[in-house]
Each structure stands twice: as structure tokens, then as C-alpha cells.
Amino acid sequence: MNILTAGAPELLARAEPLFAAMGERTWHFGASPRQANTAKISTNFLLACAIESMAEACSLAEAHGVRPTDLVEMLTGTLFPGPVYSGYGAMVAERRYEPAGFRLPLGLKDVGLALEAGAARNVPLPFGGILRDAFLDALAHGDADKDWAAVAAVARRRAGLPA
């Protein structure tokens, strides 16, 4: 677990032993707690974008006869190694959305928080609207109890691929 913090340096220093015991690494993002919150929202927004892009790439590949699992294996073995692409990529390619590690409604909440944070500072997040709509679509199709990677089913539906 990584811990994201922000606040008065002297208070963070007092809490550092606790952070070290709980997490692998502690990241400091400034003096205002809002900065750590924004870093977390930004991180989850990027994860949602990665899941959506993997879903679209897998749908494109499958529509042309390429097995999504083969595509993800190649991608994670070359251009995109790491836990996000290997973990969520496998879930997307295999259409394995249960058990949920992070439920779809939480993904929608975080995308909404990113859109709100962007609007508060006039930062456009064009993918945010696309993600929000994809998450709403997945929820409307009954996927609330599935992992947020189930948003990939929306990309499959848009591509006319079987469920």
C-alpha cells in the first residue's frame, strides 16, 4: 500500500512511523490535505482511463480476429509492463470482473470527483465525460457489484461484440 499525505510537515513527521508500518511508501504532496486528495483522485482517474483504453483496444483487436488475451500478453510483455496493465488487462481480456476488488460505483464516484476537481480549476478532462458515460452504461446494465474493469463490457457492446 502506498500512502498519500499532505499537511503540516511537523505533524506528518510525527505520523511517519505509523505510515511506515502501514504502507510500502509514503508520498508527500504539499501542505494542504486537499493536495493529497487531488493526487488520489488523479491516480484513480488515470486508472479508469487505462481500463477504458485497454477495453477499447481489446474490442478492436477482437473485432479483427485477434484474441484479446494474446494482445494483452504482448502489451504487458513489451510496452506496458506493470500491475495496472497486467492485472486489469487480464481482467478485460478474459472478461473476468468478479470478485470485485474495486466496485463499479466507486469508479463512477472517482470519475465524478475528477470532473468536479477539473471544473473547480478550469481543467478540461475530455476523457472524463466519456468515462462517466461508460460507467453509467455499465451500471444501467446491472454491473454494480462487479469490478470497475467491467466497464470494458460497454466497449464490447459499442463494438457489437457478444457479451
Side-chain angles (χ1 to χ4, degrees):
M1 176 172 75
N2 286 281
I3 298 174
L4 285 59
T5 67
E10 62 277 3
L11 296 176
L12 293 175
R14 278 185 40 206
E16 188 62 39
L18 181 60
F19 296 152
M22 293 184 340
E24 184 177 322
R25 181 165 176 188
T26 301
W27 301 85
H28 299 287
F29 287 99
S32 170
R34 171 177 281 167
Q35 292 170 295
N37 290 342
T38 302
K40 176 66 171 149
I41 290 166
S42 298
T43 300
N44 283 1
F45 178 71
L46 183 57
L47 285 170
C49 288
I51 292 168
E52 175 67 20
S53 65
M54 285 184 283
E56 291 181 20
C58 285
S59 293
L60 175 63
E62 185 175 344
H64 285 271
V66 175
R67 290 185 334 159
T69 52
D70 292 343
L71 177 67
V72 168
E73 182 181 1
M74 182 276 297
L75 291 172
T76 59
T78 58
L79 299 172
F80 299 108
V84 171
Y85 285 95
S86 62
Y88 285 116
M91 292 173 76
V92 167
E94 297 166 13
R95 293 185 263 162
R96 183 178 32 86
Y97 312 126
E98 295 175 294
F102 192 74
R103 291 181 56 242
L104 248 158
L106 296 173
L108 175 61
K109 174 195 62 85
D110 282 355
V111 169
L113 290 172
L115 287 167
E116 289 175 20
R121 298 293 176 135
N122 299 317
V123 177
L125 298 173
F127 291 149
I130 293 166
L131 287 169
R132 179 197 57 232
D133 291 350
F135 276 91
L136 287 171
D137 186 319
L139 291 170
H141 281 85
D143 292 337
D145 290 328
K146 294 181 180 175
D147 191 272
W148 68 335
V151 73
V154 175
R156 292 184 60 77
R157 278 192 294 278
R158 288 190 307 244
L161 295 170

